[in-house]
Amino acid sequence: MYDIEAALDKQILECMRNRPAVIFTEATDPRIIEAACFLPRFVRPVFLASEEAVKEVVSRELGHVDPTRIEFALSESAFVDPVERMDLLDEFARACTDLPQHISRTTNVDEARQLISEAARFGIMAVRQGHADIVVGGIIHEPRDFFRPMIRLLAKQDVLSEAGVIILPDSHPAGIFPHNIMVVGDVGANGTMNSEVLANIAVGTCAVARDIIPEDVLPVINGAMVSYSNKGSDEGPSPELVRQANKLVPEILADRIKRGRRYENIHIEGEVKISVALSRRSAHLYRRGQESSFVGGTNVIIAPNLDTGNLLFHLYATRYPDAKKFSVMFGIRFQGVDLPMDCTAEDAMLGVKACVLRMHRFGHWSRTPKDTFFPRHRVLAINPGSTSTKIAVYEGDQERFSDEIKHSVEELSPYEGQPIVKQYELRKDTILKALANHGISISDLDAVSGRGGLLQPIKHGTYRVNARMKDDLLSGTGSDHASNLGALIAREMVVDSGKPAFIVDPVVVDEAPSRVKVTGMKAIRRRVISHALNQIATARRFAEENETFYEYLNLVVCHMGGGITVGAHAKGRYIDVNNGLDGEGPFSPQRSGSEPTGQLIRLCFSGEYTLEELLQLNKGRGGLIDLLGTSDFREIERRIDAGEPEACEVYEAMIYQICKSITGLLPAFDGEKIDRVLLTGGLARSERLVRDIAAGVLALDCGVTVYPGENEMRALIKGALRVLDKKEEPRHYNPDNPPA
């Protein structure tokens, strides 16, 4: 059977930039809750019921569903009891009284409020008024209570229709529908028919098929408008209707092609006997060898009336109960999903995914117009570097703008020889100017999130910038580093506004037990300093994409940039990692990595190098720079391709050391299975390196997922949003009394 779910998932992820708010009107039906549990990666669910009511159904009916999946889905959802939202009831009631006369049901506000308090109509009006993007219903509502009000209130064009999609099981006779994919229209909307409506249904149904079925599966969409007559073989009102519709199809299809080149491979033929459409033998006999190239390979059947389309869809669904089946509306701009009462949870899930895919593919939608159910907090992220400051403003998950502010030599010269934290006033002022250029002031922000610096060791999480943190950074408790500016700038920007300033997962995150830190020299205790921000953000991203929680997974994250850190993340704790700041671990483009201790000591006292030169070899001029004269990995790959022996030897050693560091973390998990190895950082863009590391850690039997680049700005935003959305409590920086 063709895997329609995997195909929809892949296509959505390829074009998705944001998640629409999907409102479930029948929120306490167990099929709806189960379907929603497989959707949070793609949508933001809104249940029209209290959270307690939904959880009661879960407890009673959904024991067969993975509880972690349910927990994650509910954590990503909003719960709304319509009768308790008087603000929305009043808004919707007033909107109802202002509707155009041809779709209005009442001009009385009290009557309208009574109508709208029912979940189905509340959900429809929530979409019409821009509070949500898609409404889902029909599983317990009669058509007159959900479907008809939905198409009446959400219609965007004169002709609407509903296409039924069925993926037939392997038990269906082979060679009729390619890949056993059958699309039927109209199955739900048009009780009366004329040639113009039928022609639009034909094009629209084929367009639905093209939108959701990839071209490598169905290169051509072959639609047949079926009739009891075959190309003039009989007479009557029905064949004449199909003939007239067939004449209108080319113009309507041409207009559709203007909206998307993908529709060029739609082929529609009219007045075709259904046996001719489905069987090459019948086509040959009925048309004496003159059949079109697609007969016997029809993908889409367009019925001349609603009864026939509905009958075909449900007849096949009943005959093949294992089929995957769902319907797709067109004419309402992807704002509604109609579910039959006999649909399964999987059918409902597929129907929503198909709607979401079409919404993204058309490109008209970018985000929910209003943030009623999922507030879009506006957060500024600040990531200082030695000579530049990166900033970004997000509204919820969406970036509004990002910028890298360069600081000239002239600007920085007054601070030469001073700790870098002295620059925070200068940097703050340049950020304020950049915000003003984008029409943003501090009053427009909900929070500022700065890159955390070299503070005292702390647990992972989002911390409010407090007076103790400021004092530690200004007093130079840790090393002098550009990241120390992040918290100071963030605090200074909001000090008089009452808005919170945060840092997120600074490089000093340390949750490692003593066994990680003890060395064989009493004078040396291993420090934990790493790319904590990107390490933990990458682990959280993997958890979210797999619809679970960071706290439930065992992960090894390998950050590969100028330095390389390999970290063990055990069920929400960052329990081991090499000290990347001091060059410990595998050698990298700029760092020497761990060296044989005795040889290193002898080198230190050989007189060949000064202290400064050795420190540079350890971090800054070591690794690939010292071995091959460059830190540009693309150049090294070119040298490998050219067969240069030295480059090949160094590359093989680097891969070996990275794999050794990854697999060497196995004991950190105390016998528990590792769920995944995650590769991130700039070097993760190399397909060669990723392939060879994946091969080198194959024995872990957990697989590898790649997240190229350093997503630090987004990580700073996400950390602040978790607090603002009340998914996480902010931590308090007090290294004298750390949390247990």
Side-chain angles (χ1 to χ4, degrees), residues 49 104 143 156 220 223 304 327 404 409 455 507 511 527 536 565 596 598 632 732:
S104 175
K156 298 295 186 295
V220 178
S327 62
E404 183 171 6
V409 174
L455 297 157
V507 295
E511 297 171 324
R527 292 195 302 164
I536 296 169
T565 56
D632 187 340
H732 179 70

Side-chain angles (χ1 to χ4, degrees), residues 179-374:
H179 296 281
N180 278 2
I181 300 169
M182 173 189 180
V183 183
V184 184
D186 174 20
V187 300
N190 296 283
T192 58
M193 190 70 71
N194 60 43
S195 58
E196 183 179 0
V197 171
L198 182 57
N200 277 279
I201 289 171
V203 173
T205 306
C206 290
V208 166
R210 180 71 293 155
D211 286 340
I212 65 174
I213 307 296
E215 292 183 36
D216 61 347
V217 176
L218 294 180
V220 178
I221 299 299
N222 291 317
M225 288 191 287
V226 297
S227 170
Y228 63 77
S229 171
N230 192 77
K231 295 296 183 181
S233 66
D234 206 342
E235 297 298 331
S238 180
E240 184 59 28
L241 172 69
V242 174
R243 289 168 199 153
Q244 294 305 314
N246 196 42
K247 294 176 182 178
L248 301 175
V249 162
E251 183 179 351
I252 298 170
L253 181 56
D255 182 65
R256 173 67 62 163
I257 291 170
K258 291 177 184 177
R259 305 185 207 177
R261 298 294 297 274
R262 63 184 178 276
Y263 302 120
E264 288 179 335
N265 55 26
I266 289 175
H267 179 199
I268 300 172
E269 189 155 334
E271 198 191 350
V272 180
K273 205 173 183 70
I274 193 165
S275 59
V276 172
L278 303 180
S279 163
R280 292 192 180 277
R281 176 180 178 276
S282 294
H284 179 76
L285 293 172
Y286 272 89
R287 301 185 62 187
R288 296 177 177 85
Q290 302 301 312
E291 67 271 14
S292 297
S293 60
F294 79 88
V295 289
T298 304
N299 319 123
V300 178
I301 297 174
I302 301 103
N305 56 65
L306 179 57
D307 285 339
T308 304
N310 195 275
L311 176 65
L312 274 172
F313 180 72
H314 288 286
L315 189 64
Y316 268 92
T318 304
R319 172 63 181 83
Y320 297 97
D322 294 334
K324 317 285 188 187
K325 60 186 186 302
F326 55 93
S327 62
V328 180
M329 286 296 306
F330 64 88
I332 61 173
R333 194 58 66 83
F334 329 112
Q335 290 186 321
V337 176
D338 175 43
L339 303 174
M341 289 185 170
D342 62 349
C343 85
T344 65
E346 184 178 29
D347 296 339
M349 176 265 293
L350 291 172
V352 173
K353 286 185 177 180
C355 185
V356 170
L357 172 59
R358 298 191 73 228
M359 172 182 282
H360 287 306
R361 293 200 73 173
F362 268 76
H364 298 298
W365 181 87
S366 60
R367 70 179 190 182
T368 311
K370 300 175 183 177
D371 65 348
T372 308
F373 303 129
F374 300 98

Side-chain angles (χ1 to χ4, degrees), residues 340-582:
M341 289 185 170
D342 62 349
C343 85
T344 65
E346 184 178 29
D347 296 339
M349 176 265 293
L350 291 172
V352 173
K353 286 185 177 180
C355 185
V356 170
L357 172 59
R358 298 191 73 228
M359 172 182 282
H360 287 306
R361 293 200 73 173
F362 268 76
H364 298 298
W365 181 87
S366 60
R367 70 179 190 182
T368 311
K370 300 175 183 177
D371 65 348
T372 308
F373 303 129
F374 300 98
R376 289 191 287 266
H377 301 290
R378 188 178 288 183
V379 179
L380 165 67
I382 302 171
N383 187 0
S386 57
T387 60
S388 66
T389 305
K390 293 179 182 177
I391 63 172
V393 172
Y394 276 64
E395 292 178 350
D397 284 342
Q398 277 198 308
E399 181 185 306
R400 175 163 174 179
F401 82 91
S402 61
D403 196 4
E404 183 171 6
I405 304 168
K406 302 288 187 180
H407 304 292
S408 67
V409 174
E410 291 75 22
E411 283 181 298
L412 298 181
S413 59
Y415 303 94
E416 191 171 346
Q418 300 183 54
I420 198 168
V421 293
K422 298 292 186 182
Q423 299 176 18
Y424 77 87
E425 286 279 4
L426 164 72
R427 304 246 189 164
K428 180 198 74 171
D429 291 341
T430 60
I431 292 170
L432 288 172
K433 290 176 185 175
L435 291 177
N437 290 338
H438 289 274
I440 297 174
S441 67
I442 296 301
S443 63
D444 297 319
L445 302 173
D446 295 299
V448 179
S449 186
R451 178 75 185 270
L454 291 163
L455 297 157
Q456 297 188 50
I458 55 177
K459 294 185 179 297
H460 83 273
T462 300
Y463 286 77
R464 283 185 180 271
V465 182
N466 59 15
R468 175 62 188 275
M469 188 181 295
K470 177 184 176 182
D471 291 344
D472 278 2
L473 291 169
L474 288 175
S475 64
T477 301
S479 302
D480 193 36
H481 193 271
S483 62
N484 293 347
L485 285 162
L488 297 173
I489 299 169
R491 177 181 171 88
E492 192 69 15
M493 291 189 75
V494 301
V495 67
D496 296 322
S497 69
K499 308 289 178 67
F502 300 117
I503 64 165
V504 181
D505 296 329
V507 295
V508 294
V509 167
D510 179 1
E511 297 171 324
S514 293
R515 67 183 185 182
V516 172
K517 301 173 185 177
V518 173
T519 75
M521 291 186 182
K522 193 173 182 180
I524 298 177
R525 191 171 179 86
R526 183 170 287 110
R527 292 195 302 164
V528 177
I529 298 179
S530 69
H531 303 95
L533 182 63
N534 195 43
Q535 284 258 352
I536 296 169
T538 299
R540 287 186 180 279
R541 179 178 173 182
F542 176 80
E544 287 178 8
E545 290 183 0
N546 288 273
E547 296 169 314
T548 185
F549 300 94
Y550 175 53
E551 291 76 14
Y552 292 173
L553 296 173
N554 289 329
L555 303 167
V556 175
V557 182
C558 180
H559 173 108
M560 302 177 294
I564 295 175
T565 56
V566 185
H569 301 253
K571 293 183 167 54
R573 291 178 61 243
Y574 191 21
I575 59 170
D576 196 359
V577 66
N578 58 294
N579 183 342
L581 184 68
D582 282 344

Side-chain angles (χ1 to χ4, degrees), residues 589-590 592 609 617 621-630 646:
Q590 299 175 358
S592 65
Y609 299 94
L617 271 177
R621 299 294 304 170
L624 296 180
I625 291 178
D626 190 45
L627 293 167
L628 296 175
T630 179
E646 190 178 13

Side-chain angles (χ1 to χ4, degrees), residues 30-90:
R31 293 169 292 174
I32 290 297
I33 300 172
E34 183 175 345
C37 287
F38 290 84
L39 291 170
R41 191 177 183 187
F42 310 103
V43 310
R44 302 177 194 274
V46 181
F47 291 98
L48 293 189
S50 68
E51 186 171 2
E52 293 73 21
V54 172
K55 286 183 174 178
E56 194 279 326
V57 176
V58 167
S59 175
R60 188 179 69 247
E61 303 281 353
L62 297 184
H64 60 285
V65 180
D66 178 4
T68 299
R69 178 174 287 280
I70 294 173
E71 183 184 359
F72 181 82
L74 298 188
S75 74
E76 293 289 304
S77 302
F79 301 87
V80 181
D81 187 342
V83 298
E84 293 183 359
R85 289 301 301 264
M86 292 305 298
D87 56 333
L88 294 178
L89 288 175
D90 288 344

